[in-house]
């Protein structure tokens, strides 16, 4: 068997892993998966960019202290409620 015969299986696994990670990100952000593939409709309000969202996720994932993560999450939620 050649490596070429194995390539589609590896590509499928990689695609499945990317889809799984994208779903997790969408779930964390409480967004539909289409938010990453279709531009959101704008109503004049400035929406968070995908770069901003990814920066928040990256920073949050580096916080090791569970109490600090909880504090940060509550802070973000309170900001979101205020608009």
């Amino acid at each position: 068997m050649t490596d070429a015969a194995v390539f589609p299986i590896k590509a499928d696994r990689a695609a499945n892993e990317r889809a799984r990670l994208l779903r997790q990100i969408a779930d964390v952000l409480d967004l539909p998966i289409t938010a990453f593939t279709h531009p959101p409709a704008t109503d004049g309000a400035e929406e968070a960019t995908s770069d901003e969202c990814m920066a928040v996720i990256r920073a949050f994932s580096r916080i090791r202290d569970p109490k600090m993560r909880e504090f940060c999450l509550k802070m973000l939620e309170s900001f979101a409620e205020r608009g």
Side-chain angles (χ1 to χ4, degrees):
M1 183 179 290
T2 67
D3 287 340
V6 177
F7 180 74
I9 294 171
K10 288 182 181 179
D12 287 345
R13 285 183 186 153
N16 287 340
E17 179 66 8
R18 284 191 301 274
R20 184 184 67 77
L21 291 171
L22 191 57
R23 166 55 51 207
Q24 286 179 336
I25 292 168
D27 289 345
V28 166
L29 296 174
D30 195 26
L31 294 171
I33 198 90
T34 56
F36 299 108
T37 57
H38 300 21
T42 58
D43 61 354
E46 285 192 38
E47 296 290 326
T49 66
S50 59
D51 287 342
E52 291 169 327
C53 293
M54 290 305 298
V56 169
I57 292 170
R58 275 191 228 102
F60 187 83
S61 67
R62 290 192 312 264
I63 300 170
R64 298 292 174 226
D65 182 350
K67 289 182 181 181
M68 187 58 71
R69 283 194 307 267
E70 182 180 356
F71 171 78
C72 290
L73 185 56
K74 286 180 181 179
M75 184 180 62
L76 284 171
E77 287 172 343
S78 74
F79 289 161
E81 288 174 7
R82 294 179 197 170

